[in-house]
Amino acid sequence: MNIIKAIAACAALMLPGAAAAQNVVATTGDSVADFFKDEGATVDLTTDSVGDPNVKVEYYGNDFSVYYYGCDNNTSCNAIQFFSGYQTDGSVRLAKINEWNNENRFARGYISEEGSARIEMDVFLGDDGMSPDDFAQAVSLWTRAMQDFETFIDW
């Protein structure tokens, strides 16, 4: 009987902490924006050309946008995309971008129609979202990839 009481006590102690840390979700722009604000980032929450949320972030010297996908009437989104673009005026060749994509797992690069180098990374959050710790890991993957991409394209 003491084992059952000990397990129940441990479970009760864990509940308040679990309830305090809400998952990061993509249902609206607020959750992702709030995550970055809590991290000390400068955040501008707007909408894109079709009315879906869009978050512009300045995070430890990195500027990027967060686009939302899988939305239903501009809410209830289920995925986000980290995005950064670099006006390179065609100086980065497609072969170099292909090399980047071949050597990197999570973020992909491409050349826009205007000749700018771009990098993006999709994150599926589903209906339930991702724990703040796991989301922080995804952000870490993104910012590292962004910095590595900038070095790779001689930005």
Side-chain angles (χ1 to χ4, degrees), residues 112-135:
S112 72
E113 290 179 10
E114 300 81 25
S116 296
R118 296 182 172 176
I119 184 173
E120 59 191 29
M121 185 177 101
D122 294 321
V123 178
F124 182 77
L125 295 172
D127 292 333
D128 296 329
M130 186 181 287
S131 75
D133 288 342
D134 287 344
F135 191 75

PDB file of all heavy atoms in Angstrom, residues 112-135:
ATOM      1  N   SER A 112      15.424  31.598 -55.411  1.00  0.00           N
ATOM      2  CA  SER A 112      14.137  32.154 -55.844  1.00  0.00           C
ATOM      3  C   SER A 112      14.193  32.540 -57.315  1.00  0.00           C
ATOM      4  O   SER A 112      15.274  32.571 -57.926  1.00  0.00           O
ATOM      5  CB  SER A 112      13.791  33.387 -55.007  1.00  0.00           C
ATOM      6  OG  SER A 112      14.638  34.466 -55.373  1.00  0.00           O
ATOM      7  N   GLU A 113      13.046  32.850 -57.880  1.00  0.00           N
ATOM      8  CA  GLU A 113      12.983  33.295 -59.274  1.00  0.00           C
ATOM      9  C   GLU A 113      13.803  34.559 -59.493  1.00  0.00           C
ATOM     10  O   GLU A 113      14.304  34.800 -60.580  1.00  0.00           O
ATOM     11  CB  GLU A 113      11.532  33.537 -59.688  1.00  0.00           C
ATOM     12  CG  GLU A 113      10.726  32.264 -59.806  1.00  0.00           C
ATOM     13  CD  GLU A 113       9.281  32.525 -60.191  1.00  0.00           C
ATOM     14  OE1 GLU A 113       8.945  33.673 -60.552  1.00  0.00           O
ATOM     15  OE2 GLU A 113       8.491  31.571 -60.130  1.00  0.00           O
ATOM     16  N   GLU A 114      13.946  35.373 -58.450  1.00  0.00           N
ATOM     17  CA  GLU A 114      14.726  36.609 -58.540  1.00  0.00           C
ATOM     18  C   GLU A 114      16.221  36.383 -58.338  1.00  0.00           C
ATOM     19  O   GLU A 114      17.006  37.322 -58.401  1.00  0.00           O
ATOM     20  CB  GLU A 114      14.236  37.632 -57.498  1.00  0.00           C
ATOM     21  CG  GLU A 114      12.781  38.038 -57.648  1.00  0.00           C
ATOM     22  CD  GLU A 114      11.819  37.021 -57.032  1.00  0.00           C
ATOM     23  OE1 GLU A 114      12.216  36.272 -56.109  1.00  0.00           O
ATOM     24  OE2 GLU A 114      10.673  36.951 -57.500  1.00  0.00           O
ATOM     25  N   GLY A 115      16.623  35.153 -58.043  1.00  0.00           N
ATOM     26  CA  GLY A 115      18.036  34.839 -57.857  1.00  0.00           C
ATOM     27  C   GLY A 115      18.528  34.963 -56.429  1.00  0.00           C
ATOM     28  O   GLY A 115      19.731  34.929 -56.174  1.00  0.00           O
ATOM     29  N   SER A 116      17.600  35.091 -55.471  1.00  0.00           N
ATOM     30  CA  SER A 116      17.987  35.180 -54.064  1.00  0.00           C
ATOM     31  C   SER A 116      18.095  33.787 -53.456  1.00  0.00           C
ATOM     32  O   SER A 116      17.341  32.877 -53.812  1.00  0.00           O
ATOM     33  CB  SER A 116      16.950  35.985 -53.277  1.00  0.00           C
ATOM     34  OG  SER A 116      16.900  37.311 -53.739  1.00  0.00           O
ATOM     35  N   ALA A 117      19.030  33.630 -52.531  1.00  0.00           N
ATOM     36  CA  ALA A 117      19.169  32.366 -51.807  1.00  0.00           C
ATOM     37  C   ALA A 117      18.179  32.359 -50.649  1.00  0.00           C
ATOM     38  O   ALA A 117      18.001  33.378 -49.963  1.00  0.00           O
ATOM     39  CB  ALA A 117      20.592  32.205 -51.292  1.00  0.00           C
ATOM     40  N   ARG A 118      17.541  31.222 -50.437  1.00  0.00           N
ATOM     41  CA  ARG A 118      16.549  31.107 -49.370  1.00  0.00           C
ATOM     42  C   ARG A 118      16.746  29.795 -48.633  1.00  0.00           C
ATOM     43  O   ARG A 118      17.227  28.818 -49.199  1.00  0.00           O
ATOM     44  CB  ARG A 118      15.135  31.168 -49.944  1.00  0.00           C
ATOM     45  CG  ARG A 118      14.850  32.510 -50.593  1.00  0.00           C
ATOM     46  CD  ARG A 118      13.463  32.589 -51.097  1.00  0.00           C
ATOM     47  NE  ARG A 118      13.177  33.947 -51.542  1.00  0.00           N
ATOM     48  CZ  ARG A 118      12.050  34.296 -52.105  1.00  0.00           C
ATOM     49  NH1 ARG A 118      11.103  33.396 -52.301  1.00  0.00           N
ATOM     50  NH2 ARG A 118      11.852  35.548 -52.476  1.00  0.00           N
ATOM     51  N   ILE A 119      16.341  29.806 -47.367  1.00  0.00           N
ATOM     52  CA  ILE A 119      16.394  28.596 -46.551  1.00  0.00           C
ATOM     53  C   ILE A 119      15.092  28.508 -45.767  1.00  0.00           C
ATOM     54  O   ILE A 119      14.531  29.537 -45.354  1.00  0.00           O
ATOM     55  CB  ILE A 119      17.628  28.586 -45.615  1.00  0.00           C
ATOM     56  CG1 ILE A 119      17.716  27.270 -44.847  1.00  0.00           C
ATOM     57  CG2 ILE A 119      17.644  29.792 -44.712  1.00  0.00           C
ATOM     58  CD1 ILE A 119      18.996  27.124 -44.028  1.00  0.00           C
ATOM     59  N   GLU A 120      14.609  27.284 -45.587  1.00  0.00           N
ATOM     60  CA  GLU A 120      13.385  27.086 -44.835  1.00  0.00           C
ATOM     61  C   GLU A 120      13.404  25.736 -44.140  1.00  0.00           C
ATOM     62  O   GLU A 120      14.154  24.834 -44.532  1.00  0.00           O
ATOM     63  CB  GLU A 120      12.159  27.215 -45.741  1.00  0.00           C
ATOM     64  CG  GLU A 120      12.130  26.241 -46.895  1.00  0.00           C
ATOM     65  CD  GLU A 120      11.060  26.567 -47.922  1.00  0.00           C
ATOM     66  OE1 GLU A 120      10.706  27.747 -48.093  1.00  0.00           O
ATOM     67  OE2 GLU A 120      10.587  25.613 -48.566  1.00  0.00           O
ATOM     68  N   MET A 121      12.582  25.622 -43.096  1.00  0.00           N
ATOM     69  CA  MET A 121      12.461  24.376 -42.347  1.00  0.00           C
ATOM     70  C   MET A 121      11.019  24.236 -41.862  1.00  0.00           C
ATOM     71  O   MET A 121      10.495  25.136 -41.202  1.00  0.00           O
ATOM     72  CB  MET A 121      13.413  24.365 -41.156  1.00  0.00           C
ATOM     73  CG  MET A 121      13.429  23.050 -40.379  1.00  0.00           C
ATOM     74  SD  MET A 121      14.638  23.056 -39.038  1.00  0.00           S
ATOM     75  CE  MET A 121      13.558  23.366 -37.641  1.00  0.00           C
ATOM     76  N   ASP A 122      10.376  23.133 -42.220  1.00  0.00           N
ATOM     77  CA  ASP A 122       9.003  22.876 -41.801  1.00  0.00           C
ATOM     78  C   ASP A 122       8.980  22.157 -40.461  1.00  0.00           C
ATOM     79  O   ASP A 122       9.830  21.308 -40.186  1.00  0.00           O
ATOM     80  CB  ASP A 122       8.288  22.002 -42.828  1.00  0.00           C
ATOM     81  CG  ASP A 122       8.111  22.712 -44.162  1.00  0.00           C
ATOM     82  OD1 ASP A 122       7.830  23.919 -44.155  1.00  0.00           O
ATOM     83  OD2 ASP A 122       8.261  22.057 -45.204  1.00  0.00           O
ATOM     84  N   VAL A 123       7.963  22.497 -39.648  1.00  0.00           N
ATOM     85  CA  VAL A 123       7.750  21.827 -38.366  1.00  0.00           C
ATOM     86  C   VAL A 123       6.256  21.523 -38.262  1.00  0.00           C
ATOM     87  O   VAL A 123       5.430  22.441 -38.274  1.00  0.00           O
ATOM     88  CB  VAL A 123       8.190  22.703 -37.170  1.00  0.00           C
ATOM     89  CG1 VAL A 123       7.911  21.989 -35.850  1.00  0.00           C
ATOM     90  CG2 VAL A 123       9.663  23.075 -37.280  1.00  0.00           C
ATOM     91  N   PHE A 124       5.914  20.238 -38.187  1.00  0.00           N
ATOM     92  CA  PHE A 124       4.520  19.840 -38.014  1.00  0.00           C
ATOM     93  C   PHE A 124       4.206  19.832 -36.527  1.00  0.00           C
ATOM     94  O   PHE A 124       4.859  19.138 -35.748  1.00  0.00           O
ATOM     95  CB  PHE A 124       4.279  18.452 -38.628  1.00  0.00           C
ATOM     96  CG  PHE A 124       2.848  18.019 -38.518  1.00  0.00           C
ATOM     97  CD1 PHE A 124       1.890  18.544 -39.364  1.00  0.00           C
ATOM     98  CD2 PHE A 124       2.463  17.099 -37.563  1.00  0.00           C
ATOM     99  CE1 PHE A 124       0.557  18.153 -39.264  1.00  0.00           C
ATOM    100  CE2 PHE A 124       1.139  16.703 -37.450  1.00  0.00           C
ATOM    101  CZ  PHE A 124       0.184  17.225 -38.304  1.00  0.00           C
ATOM    102  N   LEU A 125       3.206  20.598 -36.128  1.00  0.00           N
ATOM    103  CA  LEU A 125       2.825  20.672 -34.723  1.00  0.00           C
ATOM    104  C   LEU A 125       1.522  19.938 -34.429  1.00  0.00           C
ATOM    105  O   LEU A 125       1.214  19.674 -33.265  1.00  0.00           O
ATOM    106  CB  LEU A 125       2.706  22.142 -34.282  1.00  0.00           C
ATOM    107  CG  LEU A 125       4.016  22.923 -34.316  1.00  0.00           C
ATOM    108  CD1 LEU A 125       3.777  24.402 -34.059  1.00  0.00           C
ATOM    109  CD2 LEU A 125       5.003  22.360 -33.312  1.00  0.00           C
ATOM    110  N   GLY A 126       0.761  19.610 -35.460  1.00  0.00           N
ATOM    111  CA  GLY A 126      -0.486  18.874 -35.262  1.00  0.00           C
ATOM    112  C   GLY A 126      -1.476  19.634 -34.410  1.00  0.00           C
ATOM    113  O   GLY A 126      -1.382  20.852 -34.235  1.00  0.00           O
ATOM    114  N   ASP A 127      -2.420  18.922 -33.850  1.00  0.00           N
ATOM    115  CA  ASP A 127      -3.442  19.547 -33.014  1.00  0.00           C
ATOM    116  C   ASP A 127      -2.935  19.825 -31.602  1.00  0.00           C
ATOM    117  O   ASP A 127      -3.352  20.786 -30.966  1.00  0.00           O
ATOM    118  CB  ASP A 127      -4.677  18.649 -32.919  1.00  0.00           C
ATOM    119  CG  ASP A 127      -5.415  18.535 -34.246  1.00  0.00           C
ATOM    120  OD1 ASP A 127      -5.325  19.483 -35.058  1.00  0.00           O
ATOM    121  OD2 ASP A 127      -6.061  17.500 -34.473  1.00  0.00           O
ATOM    122  N   ASP A 128      -2.046  18.966 -31.101  1.00  0.00           N
ATOM    123  CA  ASP A 128      -1.614  19.061 -29.709  1.00  0.00           C
ATOM    124  C   ASP A 128      -0.340  19.868 -29.517  1.00  0.00           C
ATOM    125  O   ASP A 128       0.031  20.184 -28.391  1.00  0.00           O
ATOM    126  CB  ASP A 128      -1.432  17.667 -29.113  1.00  0.00           C
ATOM    127  CG  ASP A 128      -2.741  16.896 -29.058  1.00  0.00           C
ATOM    128  OD1 ASP A 128      -3.800  17.547 -28.904  1.00  0.00           O
ATOM    129  OD2 ASP A 128      -2.706  15.661 -29.188  1.00  0.00           O
ATOM    130  N   GLY A 129       0.372  20.167 -30.583  1.00  0.00           N
ATOM    131  CA  GLY A 129       1.578  20.974 -30.474  1.00  0.00           C
ATOM    132  C   GLY A 129       2.785  20.188 -29.999  1.00  0.00           C
ATOM    133  O   GLY A 129       2.829  18.965 -30.050  1.00  0.00           O
ATOM    134  N   MET A 130       3.760  20.933 -29.526  1.00  0.00           N
ATOM    135  CA  MET A 130       5.054  20.390 -29.116  1.00  0.00           C
ATOM    136  C   MET A 130       5.421  21.013 -27.772  1.00  0.00           C
ATOM    137  O   MET A 130       5.160  22.187 -27.553  1.00  0.00           O
ATOM    138  CB  MET A 130       6.080  20.772 -30.194  1.00  0.00           C
ATOM    139  CG  MET A 130       7.445  20.189 -30.042  1.00  0.00           C
ATOM    140  SD  MET A 130       8.569  20.756 -31.373  1.00  0.00           S
ATOM    141  CE  MET A 130       7.964  19.840 -32.771  1.00  0.00           C
ATOM    142  N   SER A 131       6.049  20.241 -26.923  1.00  0.00           N
ATOM    143  CA  SER A 131       6.453  20.787 -25.620  1.00  0.00           C
ATOM    144  C   SER A 131       7.412  21.955 -25.845  1.00  0.00           C
ATOM    145  O   SER A 131       8.133  21.987 -26.857  1.00  0.00           O
ATOM    146  CB  SER A 131       7.122  19.715 -24.765  1.00  0.00           C
ATOM    147  OG  SER A 131       8.437  19.463 -25.229  1.00  0.00           O
ATOM    148  N   PRO A 132       7.442  22.920 -24.931  1.00  0.00           N
ATOM    149  CA  PRO A 132       8.368  24.041 -25.085  1.00  0.00           C
ATOM    150  C   PRO A 132       9.822  23.599 -25.223  1.00  0.00           C
ATOM    151  O   PRO A 132      10.576  24.182 -26.000  1.00  0.00           O
ATOM    152  CB  PRO A 132       8.150  24.864 -23.812  1.00  0.00           C
ATOM    153  CG  PRO A 132       6.757  24.551 -23.399  1.00  0.00           C
ATOM    154  CD  PRO A 132       6.551  23.106 -23.778  1.00  0.00           C
ATOM    155  N   ASP A 133      10.222  22.551 -24.505  1.00  0.00           N
ATOM    156  CA  ASP A 133      11.597  22.061 -24.607  1.00  0.00           C
ATOM    157  C   ASP A 133      11.891  21.483 -25.989  1.00  0.00           C
ATOM    158  O   ASP A 133      12.940  21.741 -26.573  1.00  0.00           O
ATOM    159  CB  ASP A 133      11.885  21.013 -23.531  1.00  0.00           C
ATOM    160  CG  ASP A 133      12.000  21.613 -22.140  1.00  0.00           C
ATOM    161  OD1 ASP A 133      12.194  22.847 -22.020  1.00  0.00           O
ATOM    162  OD2 ASP A 133      11.886  20.851 -21.165  1.00  0.00           O
ATOM    163  N   ASP A 134      10.940  20.697 -26.513  1.00  0.00           N
ATOM    164  CA  ASP A 134      11.132  20.143 -27.851  1.00  0.00           C
ATOM    165  C   ASP A 134      11.103  21.242 -28.906  1.00  0.00           C
ATOM    166  O   ASP A 134      11.870  21.212 -29.872  1.00  0.00           O
ATOM    167  CB  ASP A 134      10.073  19.085 -28.165  1.00  0.00           C
ATOM    168  CG  ASP A 134      10.302  17.783 -27.407  1.00  0.00           C
ATOM    169  OD1 ASP A 134      11.417  17.577 -26.881  1.00  0.00           O
ATOM    170  OD2 ASP A 134       9.354  16.973 -27.332  1.00  0.00           O
ATOM    171  N   PHE A 135      10.225  22.231 -28.731  1.00  0.00           N
ATOM    172  CA  PHE A 135      10.166  23.335 -29.681  1.00  0.00           C
ATOM    173  C   PHE A 135      11.471  24.132 -29.640  1.00  0.00           C
ATOM    174  O   PHE A 135      11.985  24.551 -30.680  1.00  0.00           O
ATOM    175  CB  PHE A 135       8.971  24.247 -29.402  1.00  0.00           C
ATOM    176  CG  PHE A 135       8.722  25.241 -30.490  1.00  0.00           C
ATOM    177  CD1 PHE A 135       8.157  24.846 -31.690  1.00  0.00           C
ATOM    178  CD2 PHE A 135       9.063  26.570 -30.324  1.00  0.00           C
ATOM    179  CE1 PHE A 135       7.931  25.765 -32.715  1.00  0.00           C
ATOM    180  CE2 PHE A 135       8.846  27.498 -31.330  1.00  0.00           C
ATOM    181  CZ  PHE A 135       8.276  27.091 -32.533  1.00  0.00           C
TER     182      PHE A 135
END
